[in-house]
Amino acid sequence: ICPDKMAIESISHTVSAFVYLVFFAVLLTDKHRGRTKQLLLASALASAVWSVSIAAQSLMNSYYPGSQIFEVIKNLTWLLFILSMLTAAYSQGVSVAQTRRGLIRTGLIVVAVLTIMLYGLLQISLRTENETGMMIVLMLLFAVTGIVLVEQLYRNVPAEQRWAIKYLCIGLMGSYIYNFYMYSDALLYQRIDPVLWQTRGFVEAVLVPLIAVSVSKDPLWSPEFFISRRVVFHTTTLLASAVYLLIMGIAGYYVKEFGGSWGPVVQAFLLFFTIIVLVLVLTSRRTRAKLKVFVSKHFYPYKYDYREEWLRFIRTISFGDEHLYRKTIKSIAQIIDSPGGMLWLRQERGFFKCVDAWQMPLLKVREPAGGSMARFIEDHEFVVCVDELNTEPEVYSRVGKLELPTWVNELSPWLIVPLIHINKLIGFVVLEHSEIRRLNFNWEDSDLLKTAARQVASYLEQQKASIALAEARQFEQFNKISTYIVHDIKNLVAQLSLIMTNAEKHKHNPLFMEDVIGTVGNTVNKMNKMLEIVSSKSSSTKSSRIDLIPLLEELVRMRQQTEFKPVPVLACETDTCYVKADKVRLLSTFGHLVQNAQDATPDHGDIRITQSVEDGQVVLKFSDTGHGMDQAFIETQLFKPFKSTKGEGMGIGVYETKQIILALGGSIDVHSTPGKGTCFRIKLPIA
């Protein structure tokens, strides 16, 4: 053989060895170690070793039988691999006996074909009377056996699963057919065609990617060595661009060589035209979308890269200054490259309303919640494809009754995606046609849309709950203010009732009338204060710097003018003590504590109010010798609203007192012993 042919042979099989080694390395990344996977690893390694032996034999320009031994091992491992897959194909959903019968049937077919061929081949090989002829016969038998087994494998795999092994069968069948042709030619002419032999390495290298595609499509084999769709997309784009530039470069070369004087001109124009066309194609959104579909369809078992799709969905729905309604439409539409959409949400009166639209008209019509379309998508959670419904209505009629409303027929959208939250239809998204994907819409698109729609529905319901919670808090604040006011009114009514009770007896007493006027005036002032609080819709009050000593003296004086007993006794450590608070509110708060003490203490008991200063804070003690409270009540119920030890009353006074003291930056403690009395200890910061 001439040196050039030897170089081609070594390069060819070196390429084959490199491709098989890469394939073997990728397979090693998979954690699955089943019998079929182990045989596939052995087959890839045996093929790599065989290719290395042929390349070494060519480089050393010497023949040695080791390459033939490696080829026999290579063929045996691949046949065992195919038999293992064939066994798995027979055993799907059938009993052991049926699997055994299927294998026996395949074995009989192989034996019959080999017997017929063996008889004819031996007759030819016996004429050669050398070992080479016997080896050619053996290789032919391997090739025929492989062709029969691959055909049986593809035939016995269920039709819905053939997509996973289609490229594997094509690759193996191509290798066996090429070997059959090469060795048949060698047997007939008693020599191996050098061109076929040199090309064999390239053929093996080209067929390995087909086997790899099938491995990547099968979830049980798919290795953990992952190449993202983005990388494959850009690689495919660059490869296609390189092929395009190569073809146009060759065309330019021939134009220059055979174009005469016009050749260089045409070549320059062709180069400029090539670059412009390439830029236009690469920047075309439709072309890029078609290329993405091509990559997903031919290189991956699933249509989407779900990790990237979900991250993009979360980014769209979570970030940005747009309203949640608009982001909802975009997050659903971008999944299938829809250029626009509308969002319909359920209203309180039992109908759906179009609340927002993106690059589609905002319709003013209403869709009843009890209509055919709403009931259908809620009951079955179907993504309704309007085009499919118009062309193949039986797909939907088998599930249930579906009649599209008038506005859908007039608008003629592409998809209607239900928004389901806890098995309830809260709305739906109407999407515009996508020119790229409208012909490829399938179950995978539908499942991804339904999953994203459920997530969107939870976001919408969460927003609705947040709005309702904010409104509830506003009502809660208003109700709290109303409760405080009702409590204060009760005390004012008690004072006015006392006046009315004593009016007949003391109406001619000038001192009594003076006290009545003062009490009524104080009541009017308090009620005006309450009206200010209600009108401002807030519980906040205007604080000022006030002296506690006169305020406490006024409190005692007011309690002395009533018939409630015992009368509190005041003992102050300092002559003045300033705090920052609302005077009326603080006086009312202390009044609650004194009145509670009077209610709990017998007339012969004792109520004391003391004032002192500790560590820059004023300390007030309201103590009595009443019936007291147990510790459990103090810890669990005393400062809770609507809890009281009295038979009557709202149980709001102590709760309000604590809230006011805490708002002023102070603290309140309670010490009480049943049957001995209670002491409220209040600390307030000195102003």
Side-chain angles (χ1 to χ4, degrees):
I1 304 177
C2 68
D4 290 341
K5 293 182 178 180
M6 291 170 54
I8 294 175
E9 178 183 341
S10 61
I11 293 173
S12 170
H13 288 84
T14 300
V15 171
S16 173
F18 174 77
V19 174
Y20 271 113
L21 284 174
V22 171
F23 181 49
F24 176 77
V26 172
L27 289 175
L28 285 177
T29 63
D30 188 14
K31 295 180 180 179
H32 300 95
R33 290 291 183 268
R35 183 182 62 180
T36 303
K37 175 62 183 302
Q38 292 175 348
L39 289 173
L40 181 60
L41 281 167
S43 302
L45 182 60
S47 299
V49 173
W50 165 77
S51 299
V52 170
S53 68
I54 298 296
Q57 176 180 279
S58 177
L59 288 174
M60 291 185 296
N61 194 18
S62 62
Y63 169 79
Y64 64 96
S67 60
Q68 294 182 348
I69 296 174
F70 288 133
E71 186 169 1
V72 171
I73 295 175
K74 163 183 170 288
N75 281 284
L76 286 175
T77 53
W78 278 111
L79 289 178
L80 289 174
F81 166 71
I82 299 171
L83 281 173
S84 177
M85 289 197 63
L86 192 58
T87 303
Y90 278 136
S91 62
Q92 288 187 356
V94 298
S95 63
V96 177
Q98 290 174 316
T99 302
R100 189 181 296 112
R101 286 197 296 270
L103 290 174
I104 293 174
R105 184 171 64 252
T106 302
L108 291 176
I109 295 174
V110 173
V111 170
V113 173
L114 292 180
T115 302
I116 296 172
M117 288 198 63
L118 186 61
Y119 176 77
L121 295 174
L122 286 176
Q123 295 298 321
I124 298 175
S125 64
L126 288 175
R127 300 175 188 174
T128 62
E129 297 180 356
N130 56 43
E131 295 180 359
T132 304
M134 295 300 296
M135 182 57 64
I136 291 175
V137 171
L138 181 60
M139 294 301 133
L140 274 173
L141 292 178
F142 278 133
V144 172
T145 304
I147 291 172
V148 174
L149 291 180
V150 171
E151 187 273 337
Q152 287 293 308
L153 173 63
Y154 189 79
R155 182 187 298 274
N156 288 280
V157 169
E160 63 273 10
Q161 298 180 9
R162 288 177 182 171
W163 62 271
I165 66 163
K166 178 176 66 175
Y167 294 104
L168 171 69
C169 293
I170 292 174
L172 294 175
M173 186 68 77
S175 176
Y176 285 126
I177 290 176
Y178 188 88
N179 287 339
F180 178 79
Y181 174 73
M182 185 182 70
Y183 285 116
S184 297
D185 179 82
L187 191 61
L188 290 175
Y189 296 102
Q190 296 301 305
R191 56 99 182 98
I192 294 179
D193 189 299
V195 176
L196 294 176
W197 182 262
Q198 295 161 16
T199 312
R200 190 182 184 192
F202 291 125
V203 170
E204 293 284 341
V206 169
L207 295 177
V208 170
L210 295 176
I211 301 174
V213 168
S214 278
V215 171
S216 66
K217 282 178 173 288
D218 194 328
L220 294 179
W221 291 357
S222 182
E224 296 181 355
F225 181 79
F226 176 74
I227 303 178
S228 69
R229 280 174 164 81
R230 185 174 301 174
V231 173
V232 175
F233 170 75
H234 290 298
T235 303
T236 306
T237 303
L238 292 176
L239 181 61
S241 302
V243 172
Y244 171 73
L245 291 174
L246 180 63
I247 294 173
M248 299 306 292
I250 295 173
Y253 171 78
Y254 279 100
V255 167
K256 180 180 179 181
E257 290 294 323
F258 302 103
S261 59
W262 284 90
V265 177
V266 176
Q267 185 188 34
F269 173 76
L270 188 61
L271 177 62
F272 176 78
F273 178 78
T274 299
I275 295 175
I276 290 297
V277 171
L278 184 61
V279 171
L280 291 175
V281 170
L282 293 180
T283 56
S284 171
R285 180 180 177 183
R286 178 173 297 184
T287 303
R288 292 171 65 86
K290 287 183 177 179
L291 183 58
K292 287 182 180 178
V293 172
F294 174 82
V295 169
S296 298
K297 184 177 180 180
H298 293 87
F299 290 93
Y300 291 91
Y302 299 108
K303 193 172 182 179
Y304 294 94
D305 184 344
Y306 290 100
R307 181 183 66 86
E308 287 194 2
E309 291 294 335
W310 202 250
L311 288 176
R312 184 175 64 173
F313 168 79
I314 294 299
R315 282 195 300 268
T316 303
I317 200 71
S318 302
F319 301 102
D321 298 330
E322 294 180 303
H323 193 274
L324 181 60
Y325 291 168
R326 182 65 55 86
K327 291 191 291 186
T328 294
I329 301 171
K330 288 185 176 181
S331 64
I332 298 294
Q334 71 182 4
I335 295 176
I336 51 173
D337 296 327
S338 174
M342 295 186 297
L343 175 64
W344 294 66
L345 292 180
R346 184 189 291 267
Q347 306 299 309
E348 296 180 353
R349 298 182 180 179
F351 61 87
F352 293 93
K353 177 183 176 182
C354 182
V355 296
D356 199 0
W358 174 58
Q359 301 188 59
M360 285 188 75
L362 185 65
L363 300 184
K364 300 298 183 181
V365 298
R366 300 192 303 181
E367 175 64 24
S372 172
M373 185 186 74
R375 290 200 310 270
F376 181 86
I377 61 179
E378 182 175 19
D379 294 341
H380 306 289
E381 198 177 352
F382 255 45
V383 176
V384 178
C385 181
V386 178
D387 296 341
E388 183 182 47
L389 179 61
N390 293 332
T391 57
E392 302 178 37
E394 64 277 2
V395 174
Y396 297 87
S397 61
R398 288 197 298 264
V399 179
K401 183 180 180 182
L402 173 60
E403 295 179 1
L404 296 180
T406 305
W407 62 267
V408 174
N409 294 323
E410 293 176 353
L411 189 63
S412 187
W414 180 27
L415 300 173
I416 301 174
V417 184
L419 302 178
I420 305 291
H421 182 70
I422 316 179
N423 299 325
K424 180 181 179 182
L425 182 69
I426 68 166
F428 52 88
V429 177
V430 180
L431 297 178
E432 186 59 274
H433 288 88
S434 172
E435 296 298 332
I436 303 301
R437 302 201 182 192
R438 62 183 300 178
L439 300 178
N440 298 309
F441 185 81
N442 59 13
W443 62 269
E444 194 172 354
D445 301 290
S446 177
D447 287 349
L448 182 56
L449 286 174
K450 287 190 290 187
T451 304
R454 278 192 172 269
Q455 187 69 19
V456 163
S458 67
Y459 276 109
L460 293 171
E461 285 296 291
Q462 184 178 8
Q463 184 193 54
K464 183 179 178 181
S466 298
I467 295 174
L469 180 60
E471 294 177 351
R473 285 177 176 173
Q474 291 177 349
F475 280 107
E476 180 185 1
Q477 183 69 14
F478 186 81
N479 291 335
K480 184 186 293 185
I481 296 172
S482 301
T483 304
Y484 292 156
I485 291 174
V486 169
H487 183 269
D488 289 342
I489 290 176
K490 178 179 72 69
N491 294 332
L492 297 177
V493 168
Q495 294 179 10
L496 296 177
S497 299
L498 184 62
I499 291 175
M500 293 300 299
T501 302
N502 297 322
E504 290 295 331
K505 182 178 180 181
H506 303 286
K507 62 182 178 180
H508 300 293
N509 187 345
L511 295 178
F512 174 77
M513 295 305 298
E514 183 179 352
D515 184 59
V516 168
I517 294 173
T519 302
V520 173
N522 182 54
T523 302
V524 171
N525 290 333
K526 287 186 176 181
M527 296 188 72
N528 287 331
K529 187 70 174 179
M530 288 186 287
L531 290 175
E532 290 179 7
I533 295 175
V534 174
S535 62
S536 62
K537 300 179 181 180
S538 172
S539 61
S540 62
T541 56
K542 296 180 181 180
S543 298
S544 60
R545 189 168 179 267
I546 60 174
D547 191 350
L548 271 182
I549 306 304
L551 184 139
L552 294 174
E553 292 174 348
E554 181 182 355
L555 172 65
V556 173
R557 186 168 57 254
M558 290 173 55
R559 305 311 299 182
Q560 289 175 345
Q561 295 174 357
T562 65
E563 292 186 355
F564 291 100
K565 303 294 182 183
V567 177
V569 177
L570 176 63
C572 296
E573 185 181 88
T574 61
D575 296 333
T576 59
C577 184
Y578 290 92
V579 296
K580 191 174 182 180
D582 178 82
K583 181 178 180 180
V584 176
R585 195 76 177 272
L586 195 60
L587 182 61
S588 175
T589 300
F590 293 159
H592 292 327
L593 294 178
V594 173
Q595 183 170 347
N596 287 340
Q598 289 176 330
D599 292 339
T601 306
D603 293 346
H604 60 275
D606 183 26
I607 298 177
R608 297 181 63 83
I609 304 174
T610 61
Q611 176 266 338
S612 61
V613 177
E614 295 179 6
D615 300 328
Q617 289 185 313
V618 58
V619 179
L620 302 176
K621 293 182 180 180
F622 296 81
S623 57
D624 63 66
T625 57
H627 53 69
M629 300 172 287
D630 58 44
Q631 192 63 28
F633 180 83
I634 295 174
E635 293 177 354
T636 60
Q637 301 188 46
L638 177 61
F639 293 108
K640 300 291 184 181
F642 313 115
K643 302 293 183 180
S644 176
T645 58
K646 296 183 289 186
E648 57 182 12
M650 299 181 62
I652 198 70
V654 179
Y655 171 76
E656 181 185 13
T657 298
K658 182 177 181 180
Q659 298 302 313
I660 293 174
I661 297 301
L662 294 178
L664 295 176
S667 62
I668 181 171
D669 297 316
V670 182
H671 300 281
S672 183
T673 303
K676 293 185 178 181
T678 302
C679 177
F680 283 85
R681 190 170 185 267
I682 297 175
K683 285 186 177 182
L684 291 174
I686 296 177

